[in-house]
Amino acid sequence: MTLAVRVPEKLSARVPAEQRGRGRDRDAVRLLVSRGTEVSHRVFVELPRLLRAGDLLIVNTSPTLAAAVDGRIGDARVVVHFSTFGDDGRWAVELRDPDGTGTTRARAGGPTGTEVRLPAGVRLVLEEPVGAGSERLWWARVSAAKGSGVLGLMREYGRPIRYSYTERDQPLSVYQTVFALPSPDGSGSAEMPSAARPFTARLVAELVSRGVRFAPVALHAGVASAEAHEPPYPERFAVSEASAELINAVRAGAGRVVAVGTTAVRAVESAAGPDGVVRARAGWTDLVVTPERGVRVVDGLLTGLHEPEASHLLMLEAIAGRAAVERGYEEALRGLYLWHEFGDVHLVLPGENPHTQHCASNGW
């Protein structure tokens, strides 16, 4: 799905909400609410009043990594974005050129055998493109002369991935959500699961007090496709037995299942069978949620505002329908909502009897 709109540069959120005025917190962002083609304008702190007892929020617990590390190819400076750790010990990486302003610009990938020198004696050698038809992301072999490999390198020398629409570097804590949990193996997301960023501990407590429940899942997101608008590539995910049981119980009752972010949708839909039953699963998912595939579990979605060409919009269309997505984005532009990871958010809610609607729309 491609929207025939252009997002003005002035609508890029350049700093986090809490840095845009005294006394503000992360939840000081606007909230666009879509119910079909009906749109209302709220603020995020009103979320507890828009949900109801028995509703379930699926949240991604993946922590954000300091995944950008400076390196050199010969005498040329580059920035390595570490994206995804493979089963064979390699890393999927993106090489970027410094742009002289503290951020980076796209760089042609490859060729095979390219060596990047990194701090602490670490060497990175490009081996092959991650996917056919694109050379932006490469599988690379990493050798560490000392220290604890890539994760130790990121902790010591890395910084959060930052794009040119942001104003300045931020500490890693700014990119962690309230739901982030350390992974047993130290893995995490190259870029923040940003739909959850506006949540605060105070807001979570209010939601719980009103009877809204939470189901944690994990999906370790790789680098975004801001330049190429590529579909998602395989990413690690996990849905626990406890979360699967809770999701199934809510679906069997009157509650609504609302995913917080497209990564949460991808994880839970990857764990759902054709019958809509969620089962505990862990591994890799290459699922792309499209209108043709539909959704089996999710009734609603809380998400950021995506670029008009982003593949995420196909997921929104699968959940809400094309007319609703187009109407919502028209209102977001008209209302001067802010885009990207520090920006405003969009809550897509179903009408009544959401599970019946899903069954009808997906041919069950």
Side-chain angles (χ1 to χ4, degrees):
M1 177 181 185
T2 300
L3 296 178
V5 298
R6 184 183 66 85
V7 181
E9 186 177 343
K10 68 179 181 180
L11 296 186
S12 295
R14 301 192 180 281
V15 296
E18 63 273 22
Q19 297 177 18
R20 295 200 284 265
R22 291 177 59 87
R24 294 166 65 97
D25 206 339
R26 288 180 173 220
D27 54 15
V29 296
R30 299 171 67 192
L31 179 64
L32 185 75
V33 182
S34 293
R35 290 183 176 89
T37 55
E38 293 184 10
V39 176
S40 60
H41 302 275
R42 306 295 189 97
V43 290
F44 191 74
V45 291
E46 295 181 79
L47 181 64
R49 296 193 289 278
L50 297 169
L51 301 177
R52 58 192 184 217
D55 285 346
L56 178 70
L57 291 175
I58 302 176
V59 296
N60 187 0
T61 62
S62 178
T64 308
L65 301 174
V69 180
D70 292 323
R72 286 187 177 275
I73 299 175
D75 293 329
R77 294 177 56 225
V78 296
V79 178
V80 179
H81 288 178
F82 285 94
S83 179
T84 306
F85 182 61
D87 290 335
D88 59 1
R90 297 186 298 176
W91 279 83
V93 301
E94 179 187 23
L95 300 188
R96 309 271 298 185
D97 285 325
D99 64 2
T101 66
T103 57
T104 60
R105 57 178 174 264
R107 174 190 177 93
T112 297
T114 296
E115 181 179 278
V116 183
R117 302 192 313 277
L118 298 171
V122 176
R123 294 290 189 273
L124 180 152
V125 178
L126 301 186
E127 293 192 346
E128 60 181 333
V130 168
S134 173
E135 294 196 352
R136 185 176 66 90
L137 290 166
W138 282 69
W139 286 114
R141 188 74 61 180
V142 179
S143 60
K146 58 182 179 179
S148 55
V150 172
L151 294 175
L153 183 76
M154 287 191 282
R155 285 192 295 269
E156 183 71 22
Y157 300 100
R159 60 188 179 276
I161 289 174
R162 174 190 159 208
Y163 290 110
S164 58
Y165 51 77
T166 57
E167 186 174 290
R168 57 181 177 271
D169 284 344
Q170 299 284 349
L172 185 59
S173 59
V174 167
Y175 289 88
Q176 302 294 5
T177 75
V178 72
F179 303 112
L181 295 173
S183 298
D185 61 358
S187 57
S189 290
E191 297 186 7
M192 172 178 55
S194 57
R197 191 183 188 280
F199 284 88
T200 62
R202 178 184 62 250
L203 191 71
V204 170
E206 183 179 352
L207 286 162
V208 171
S209 72
R210 289 173 175 262
V212 176
R213 290 179 284 182
F214 292 81
V217 300
L219 185 138
H220 299 314
V223 297
S225 302
E227 293 81 24
H229 307 298
E230 302 157 349
Y233 52 88
E235 293 168 320
R236 291 181 183 271
F237 82 104
V239 176
S240 68
E241 186 70 44
S243 288
E245 290 178 357
L246 179 54
I247 294 165
N248 291 331
V250 170
R251 286 184 51 77
R256 299 172 295 184
V257 176
V258 178
V260 178
T262 58
T263 58
V265 176
R266 201 174 185 210
V268 72
E269 292 287 332
S270 296
D275 57 359
V277 175
V278 179
R279 296 171 176 86
R281 283 193 62 193
W284 293 87
T285 178
D286 58 1
L287 176 66
V288 179
V289 177
T290 64
E292 292 73 28
R293 189 268 187 189
V295 287
R296 298 169 177 171
V297 179
V298 173
D299 300 312
L301 174 63
L302 180 71
T303 182
L305 294 165
H306 300 287
E307 293 291 346
E309 304 89 347
S311 61
H312 296 307
L313 292 182
L314 292 172
M315 182 184 293
L316 266 70
E317 185 179 352
I319 295 170
R322 186 181 185 94
V325 177
E326 289 178 341
R327 171 69 173 147
Y329 271 65
E330 287 172 2
E331 281 295 299
L333 287 168
R334 188 186 65 80
L336 302 181
Y337 279 68
L338 295 180
W339 254 251
H340 303 305
E341 66 266 33
F342 298 142
D344 298 316
V345 284
H346 185 192
L347 176 63
V348 178
L349 289 175
E352 296 304 312
N353 301 317
H355 305 319
T356 301
Q357 291 176 353
H358 270 191
C359 292
S361 65
N362 288 294
W364 295 0

